[in-house]
């Protein structure tokens, strides 16, 4: 049992409660995946806004069946939501999560974090955080959504696998000093809650405009790897569902609902 980790988590929970945020936090020294644990809890009927956080993950999961390296020092958590409303309105949630992490990094550390569609968070062109959404629907209604967030906080980039070292960064690397893990966690959850309220109130246009402020995707030449093939062109907009609008070389506007977004100038 790592008492300093649990002390920090208890402190985060106390602060959030005092400020009126709805989260209940369950902390674990080690899990295979916080998303996996959150799914188990969601299926067992745990209430929404339960947050599962682990000090390390043994089998952290990334998008597209990748693994998410999860050594000590990083922030790994999953938030269980049970949003009311049709499943097709949930496509904004990944963007909300990316925006929340970006805002927390900017407000606490004044670092120029940016969002790569749909929700990679990058600083100086290197990935600092990733988000994995998983969920289940029942008759077009959402049963649960799990928002899994991984951030390289105080874990040294040099300890990540060699193939990630050129493209990944961490907050400690960007700041040059250690980061207050608890304060950062609290700030991400607070920012998420604020953005999520905007979404629930139907204020999608102001959400999108914040997202665009911090996105480094629009205006770039992109290659999106989708299940039905690659789409290459200029990223010109985000629509009201959070989908990427790409202007292809033959002048067609394609709406990309999901895929792995690569910047052509980084290939
Ligand atoms: C990505 O590929 O960019 C998404 C990475 C998401 C990683 C986080 S860490 C917490 C949560 N639990 C997991 O197993 N994955 C997500």
């Amino acid at each position: 049992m790592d008492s300093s980790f649990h002390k920090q988590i208890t402190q985060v929970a106390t602060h959030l409660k005092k400020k009126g945020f709805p989260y209940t936090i369950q902390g674990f020294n080690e899990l295979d995946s916080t998303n996996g644990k959150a799914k188990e809890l969601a299926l067992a009927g745990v209430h929404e806004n339960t947050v599962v956080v682990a000090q390390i993950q043994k089998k952290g999961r990334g998008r597209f069946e990748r693994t998410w390296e999860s050594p000590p020092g990083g922030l790994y958590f999953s938030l269980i939501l049970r949003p009311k409303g049709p499943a097709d309105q949930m496509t904004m949630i990944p963007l909300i999560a990316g925006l929340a992490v970006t805002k927390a990094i900017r407000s606490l550390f004044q670092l120029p974090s940016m969002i790569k569609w749909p929700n990679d968070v990058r600083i100086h062109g290197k990935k600092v955080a990733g988000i994995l959404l998983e969920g289940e629907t029942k008759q077009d209604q959402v049963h649960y959504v799990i928002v899994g967030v991984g951030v390289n906080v105080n874990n040294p980039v040099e300890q990540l696998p060699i193939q990630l070292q050129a493209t990944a960064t961490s907050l400690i690397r960007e700041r040059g000093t250690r980061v207050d893990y608890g304060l950062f966690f609290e700030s991400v959850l607070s920012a998420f809650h604020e953005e999520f309220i905007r979404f629930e109130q139907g204020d999608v246009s102001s959400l999108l405009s914040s997202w665009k402020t911090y996105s480094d995707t629009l205006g770039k030449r992109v290659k999106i790897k989708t299940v039905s093939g690659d789409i290459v062109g200029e990223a010109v907009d985000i629509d009201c569902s959070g989908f990427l609008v790409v202007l292809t070389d033959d002048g067609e506007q394609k709406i990309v609902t999901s895929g792995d977004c690569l910047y052509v100038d980084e290939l």
Side-chain angles (χ1 to χ4, degrees):
M1 169 86 125
D2 182 335
S3 62
S4 107
F5 170 70
H6 287 276
K7 239 189 222 160
Q8 289 181 87
I9 299 304
T10 308
Q11 213 169 47
V12 172
T14 311
H15 287 170
L16 288 171
K17 200 170 178 190
K18 255 193 206 151
K19 291 189 202 155
F21 289 101
Y23 302 116
T24 306
I25 306 179
Q26 298 195 15
F28 297 83
N29 292 335
E30 179 183 310
L31 286 173
D32 277 350
S33 156
T34 57
N35 268 31
K37 184 71 184 174
K39 179 176 178 181
E40 209 179 290
L41 293 172
L43 291 173
V46 88
H47 66 75
E48 67 173 337
N49 293 316
T50 299
V51 180
V52 176
V53 59
Q55 198 171 16
I56 57 169
Q57 297 183 116
K58 290 298 203 191
K59 294 180 187 158
R61 305 203 289 251
R63 296 175 72 214
F64 311 109
E65 313 290 318
R66 296 181 186 129
T67 53
W68 183 261
E69 294 298 325
S70 311
L75 172 63
Y76 317 108
F77 77 89
S78 301
L79 163 63
I80 300 167
L81 299 173
R82 297 190 187 277
K84 287 145 213 75
D88 62 5
Q89 282 175 12
M90 302 306 139
T91 50
M92 276 299 292
I93 298 179
L95 279 76
I96 295 174
L99 181 60
V101 174
T102 298
K103 281 192 157 180
I105 292 174
R106 284 179 168 261
S107 68
L108 279 183
F109 313 123
Q110 291 76 49
L111 287 168
S113 66
M114 303 296 288
I115 313 165
K116 184 170 88 157
W117 182 85
N119 54 17
D120 278 359
V121 180
R122 311 196 331 159
I123 303 175
H124 298 126
K126 294 191 174 182
K127 181 159 167 170
V128 69
I131 290 153
L132 175 67
L133 255 86
E134 296 182 291
E136 241 178 70
T137 54
K138 274 186 184 167
Q139 284 126 26
D140 278 353
Q141 293 292 307
V142 181
H143 181 29
Y144 66 85
V145 174
I146 291 164
V147 184
V149 179
V151 189
N152 295 323
V153 179
N154 288 320
N155 46 314
V157 176
E158 299 73 30
Q159 283 173 17
L160 292 173
I162 194 88
Q163 67 275 15
L164 292 180
Q165 289 183 18
T167 55
T169 192
S170 62
L171 294 176
I172 190 172
R173 147 85 56 101
E174 297 297 327
R175 272 194 93 204
T177 52
R178 278 183 77 78
V179 165
D180 183 330
Y181 171 96
L183 189 63
F184 178 63
F185 184 24
E186 195 179 316
S187 174
V188 172
L189 284 175
S190 312
F192 183 89
H193 187 64
E194 277 155 23
E195 300 305 328
F196 195 68
I197 296 276
R198 276 213 268 180
F199 168 68
E200 285 195 314
Q201 288 171 344
D203 195 1
V204 172
S205 67
S206 86
L207 251 177
L208 280 176
S209 114
S210 300
W211 191 91
K212 286 179 191 179
T213 307
Y214 302 121
S215 164
D216 64 4
T217 304
L218 299 184
K220 277 220 167 65
R221 197 166 164 75
V222 294
K223 177 176 181 175
I224 320 279
K225 292 178 163 292
T226 77
V227 280
S228 43
D230 293 354
I231 297 170
V232 179
E234 187 189 335
V236 288
D237 205 2
I238 297 288
D239 75 6
C240 58
S241 300
F243 299 152
L244 189 66
V245 185
V246 176
L247 180 63
T248 63
D249 296 341
D250 50 14
E252 201 188 335
Q253 283 211 345
K254 288 205 167 156
I255 309 288
V256 188
T257 57
S258 71
D260 196 7
C261 176
L262 308 172
Y263 293 158
V264 171
D265 64 8
E266 292 179 4
L267 293 175

